[in-house]
C-alpha cells in the first residue's frame, strides 16, 4: 500500500495526479525527510501505470526538490523545496488567479473563498488557522469594509 492515497482520474495527466498526491503527503508530514519513497515498480503495480509514467513522477518530484535519489540506498524524501519568498509567491500567483476566477464564476465572494482555503489548509495539514492575518497583516476579507492596507 502506498503512503499517499491517489485514485487516477481520467481526463488529467496521471503524472500530475501522482505528483500532487505525493507532494501533498510530504508537505502534510505523512512522509518525512529520510523516509524511503516507494519504488517505481511498487507504484506502477499498485496504480496500474506503466513504469515509464511512474519514472516521470519520480523525476518531477526530484526536480521539485521533494525527493533525492541515493545510489545503493534508493529514493528518499527530502526536507522539501526551499525557494526564496518572492519566487514562491510568483509560482503560486497563477494558481491563485485561476481559483479566484473559478470562485467568481461560481458566484462566491472573497470571504467565502478565503474561508474555503483556510478550511482546506486545516483539513490537509492539520494546522490551526491564522485568523484574520496574511503574513502578519490583516487580510482584506477580514478588515472592516474589506479595504486593502
Amino acid at each position: 500500500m502506498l503512503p499517499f492515497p491517489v485514485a487516477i482520474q481520467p481526463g488529467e495527466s496521471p503524472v500530475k495526479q501522482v505528483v500532487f498526491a505525493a507532494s501533498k503527503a510530504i508537505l502534510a508530514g505523512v512522509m518525512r525527510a529520510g523516509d524511503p519513497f516507494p519504488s517505481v515498480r511498487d507504484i506502477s503495480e499498485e496504480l496500474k501505470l506503466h513504469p515509464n509514467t511512474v519514472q516521470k513522477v519520480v523525476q518531477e518530484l526530484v526536480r521539485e526538490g521533494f525527493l533525492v535519489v541515493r545510489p545503493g540506498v534508493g529514493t528518499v524524501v527530502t526536507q522539501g523545496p526551499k525557494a526564496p519568498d518572492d519566487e514562491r509567491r510568483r509560482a503560486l500567483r497563477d494558481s491563485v488567479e485561476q481559483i479566484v476566477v473559478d470562485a467568481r464564476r461560481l458566484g462566491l465572494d472573497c470571504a467565502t473563498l478565503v474561508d474555503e482555503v483556510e478550511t482546506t489548509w486545516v483539513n490537509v495539514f492539520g494546522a490551526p488557522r491564522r485568523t484574520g492575518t496574511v503574513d502578519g497583516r490583516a487580510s482584506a476579507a477580514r478588515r472592516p469594509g474589506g479595504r486593502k492596507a
Side-chain angles (χ1 to χ4, degrees):
M1 182 162 172
L2 296 177
F4 51 90
V6 61
I8 304 300
Q9 301 297 318
E12 186 177 345
S13 160
V15 172
K16 287 176 87 172
Q17 293 178 63
V18 178
V19 166
F20 176 79
S23 358
K24 178 179 165 183
I26 293 167
L27 292 170
V30 174
M31 292 188 297
R32 300 181 186 276
D35 286 351
F37 192 75
S39 70
V40 167
R41 181 179 183 176
D42 289 346
I43 297 171
S44 177
E45 288 175 0
E46 179 130 355
L47 299 179
K48 308 291 188 253
L49 294 173
H50 193 280
N52 290 347
T53 301
V54 178
Q55 184 60 41
K56 289 177 185 176
V57 168
V58 171
Q59 288 172 341
E60 182 64 18
L61 290 167
V62 167
R63 189 186 69 72
E64 289 182 11
F66 288 106
L67 301 178
V68 63
V69 178
R70 295 194 175 137
V73 175
T75 305
V76 296
V77 177
T78 65
Q79 292 288 344
K82 301 289 186 219
D85 189 50
D86 61 332
E87 189 177 318
R88 290 182 300 183
R89 285 178 176 266
R90 194 173 22 251
L92 184 63
R93 207 163 279 131
D94 287 342
S95 297
V96 170
E97 184 176 356
Q98 181 66 51
I99 291 168
V100 167
V101 169
D102 288 346
R104 184 64 179 247
R105 182 178 46 80
L106 295 168
L108 303 174
D109 62 11
C110 184
T112 302
L113 175 60
V114 169
D115 187 55
E116 286 299 319
V117 168
E118 289 177 342
T119 299
T120 301
W121 185 279
V122 171
N123 290 340
V124 171
F125 300 118
R129 294 179 181 207
R130 297 188 325 164
T131 307
T133 65
V134 176
D135 290 340
R137 301 172 299 197
S139 68
R142 303 281 191 245
R143 275 187 224 113
R147 295 183 310 271
K148 291 184 178 180

